[in-house]
Amino acid sequence: RQAGRYQASYREIRSRVPMLELCKNPDLAAQVTVNAVNELGVDAAIIFSDLLLILEPMGFHLAYTAGEGPVITPSVKSPADVDRMQDPVVDESMSFVSKAIRQTRAALPAHIPLIGFVGAPFTLAYYLIEGKKSRDLAATKSFMKNNPKAWDKLLARLTGALASLAHLQKKAGAQAIQVFDSWVGALTPAEYEQYVMPHTQKLFQDIEGECPLIHFGTKTTPLLELMKQAGGHVIGLDSQVLLNEAWTRLGDTAVMGNLNPDILLQSKQVIHAEVQKILHQANGRPGHIFNLGHGVLPQTPVDNVKYLVQVVKELSER
C-alpha cells in the first residue's frame, strides 16, 4: 500500500475519519490513492482499500482496534460456522470499491496504471479463524488439518467471493490485480501444496484474462516455485531472498521486489547503495518491477520514500 501513516496528508485525513469509513468513502479513497502517486512520483497506483472488507457481506463484523489491527467477529471455530457463511452479492455490497476505482482512474494521469487487489483465500481464512493477528497461526493450522472438508468448503467460498471482487475491480478500470497472501509464509511447502495451492490456483484461473495478475506473499522463500505454479504473471519477492537467486529458481517469470522496508529508515547513502545492489542483481533483465519486499513502515520519513523513487529511476536509466 502506497498511502499510509508515513504521509502527512494521509494522517490528516485519518485524524478525522476512521479506517473503515475511509475505505468505504469513494471520494476519500480516491483522494489518498492519488495523493500517494502525486507526492511520491511512483510509476503506478494501487487503490486504497483493505483485504478484509469482503468479509462483512459474508456475515462477519470487522473492526480496527488500536494496537491490535483488524478484529473479526464471530471467528470461525467449527464446520457449522462455515455453513452459516453468506455468499455476497459483490456488485452491490462492494460497490464503493468500484466507485473508488472509477474516480481514481479519472483523476490519475493517463500513463499511470491503477492496480486493484484482493486477498488470497488462505490469508482471509486465517483472519476468519484466528479472529485477529496471530503469529503462530495455531488455530488456523488446527482447523485446516482437523476439518479438511470444512477447510476446503471455507476456502472455496472465499475463492468465489474474491474472484467476483477482482472482476468488479477490473470492470471499474483496474489495469492489474494483485493477490495478497500475506500470511502464507507460515506454512511448509507440503502444507501449502496440499491445503492451499488448489484454491489459490482456482482463484487465479477464475480471474485470468484482460490484465496482468501479481502474486504476492511474505516469508515465502521455500514456496516460490509452488506460488508460480499456483498462478500469476508476476511473483512478489520479499526481502529474505536475493532477487537474482529467486529469479533463477522461478525461471521466465516477471518478479516484483525486493528492498527491505527497514532500509528506508537509514541514510540516503544507504538507500542509494541498497538500490544499486538490487538493480545489479536484476542486471537489466526485463520483467523486474522495483518495489519493497513488504509495506512501508509507519515511521518512515516520507522524504526517504521520495528519494528511493528518484534513485531507482535515475539508476535504471543508465
Side-chain angles (χ1 to χ4, degrees):
R1 180 186 293 165
Q2 291 159 349
R5 285 175 286 171
Y6 67 98
Q7 287 181 285
S9 59
Y10 177 81
R11 290 197 303 272
E12 192 280 325
I13 292 172
R14 281 287 283 113
S15 70
R16 300 182 279 109
V17 183
M19 176 65 175
L20 271 177
E21 185 179 333
L22 175 55
C23 290
K24 294 180 180 180
N25 185 316
D27 293 337
L28 291 178
Q31 181 181 335
V32 296
T33 304
V34 174
N35 282 352
V37 174
N38 290 340
E39 292 175 19
L40 303 177
V42 290
D43 293 333
I46 186 163
I47 191 67
F48 184 86
S49 189
D50 191 85
L51 301 178
L52 302 180
L53 299 173
I54 187 65
L55 298 180
E56 288 191 318
M58 299 186 80
F60 299 91
H61 179 261
L62 171 63
Y64 290 87
T65 306
E68 283 194 343
V71 177
I72 307 291
T73 51
S75 57
V76 170
K77 298 299 183 190
S78 70
D81 294 331
V82 177
D83 293 334
R84 284 193 289 269
M85 291 173 63
Q86 300 169 23
D87 294 317
V89 181
V90 171
D91 285 2
E92 297 175 6
S93 59
M94 302 296 289
S95 61
F96 54 88
V97 176
S98 58
K99 291 176 183 175
I101 287 175
R102 284 195 294 270
Q103 290 180 216
T104 303
R105 182 63 274 165
L108 286 171
H111 69 283
I112 297 290
L114 176 59
I115 303 169
F117 68 88
V118 296
F122 173 79
T123 285
L124 267 67
Y126 150 79
Y127 277 108
L128 283 176
I129 294 168
E130 302 288 344
K132 59 183 180 180
K133 287 184 179 180
S134 166
R135 295 297 173 186
D136 58 16
L137 281 75
T140 303
K141 289 190 176 185
S142 176
F143 190 99
M144 181 175 76
K145 295 179 179 180
N146 292 330
N147 305 284
K149 290 183 179 179
W151 172 260
D152 282 338
K153 186 173 184 179
L154 171 60
L155 266 68
R157 298 186 80 166
L158 288 169
T159 297
L162 292 166
S164 296
L165 179 57
H167 284 297
L168 177 78
Q169 294 178 67
K170 289 199 282 186
K171 285 188 291 184
Q175 293 150 291
I177 298 292
Q178 182 159 324
V179 176
F180 282 86
D181 215 348
S182 308
W183 292 93
V184 76
L187 300 178
T188 66
E191 289 171 333
Y192 180 83
E193 189 169 15
Q194 178 177 352
Y195 295 103
V196 176
M197 192 169 79
H199 299 283
T200 307
Q201 205 163 37
K202 178 68 163 59
L203 175 61
F204 276 105
Q205 289 168 353
D206 287 351
I207 63 177
E208 180 70 40
E210 302 167 17
C211 74
L213 304 175
I214 304 167
H215 192 173
F216 173 82
T218 59
K219 300 183 179 179
T220 54
T221 300
L223 307 177
L224 290 176
E225 290 88 351
L226 292 173
M227 288 177 65
K228 178 184 176 181
Q229 190 176 337
H233 306 107
V234 182
I235 303 298
L237 303 176
D238 65 21
S239 307
Q240 297 185 342
V241 62
L242 291 174
L243 183 142
N244 53 341
E245 292 181 4
W247 212 348
T248 298
R249 288 169 54 189
L250 290 169
D252 189 21
T253 298
V255 299
M256 181 178 74
N258 62 340
L259 184 74
N260 190 328
D262 292 348
I263 298 299
L264 292 179
L265 303 177
Q266 312 303 320
S267 68
K268 287 183 169 59
Q269 290 81 3
V270 171
I271 294 171
H272 191 283
E274 294 298 323
V275 169
Q276 279 187 313
K277 288 180 185 177
I278 290 174
L279 292 178
H280 178 73
Q281 291 171 40
N283 196 30
R285 182 176 172 179
H288 174 225
I289 302 169
F290 194 102
N291 205 341
L292 302 183
H294 200 219
V296 182
L297 298 171
Q299 66 270 35
T300 302
V302 70
D303 284 345
N304 283 4
V305 184
K306 295 176 182 177
Y307 179 73
L308 169 68
V309 175
Q310 174 190 332
V311 169
V312 171
K313 291 183 176 183
E314 288 178 354
L315 294 179
S316 297
E317 289 173 358
R318 293 180 183 176

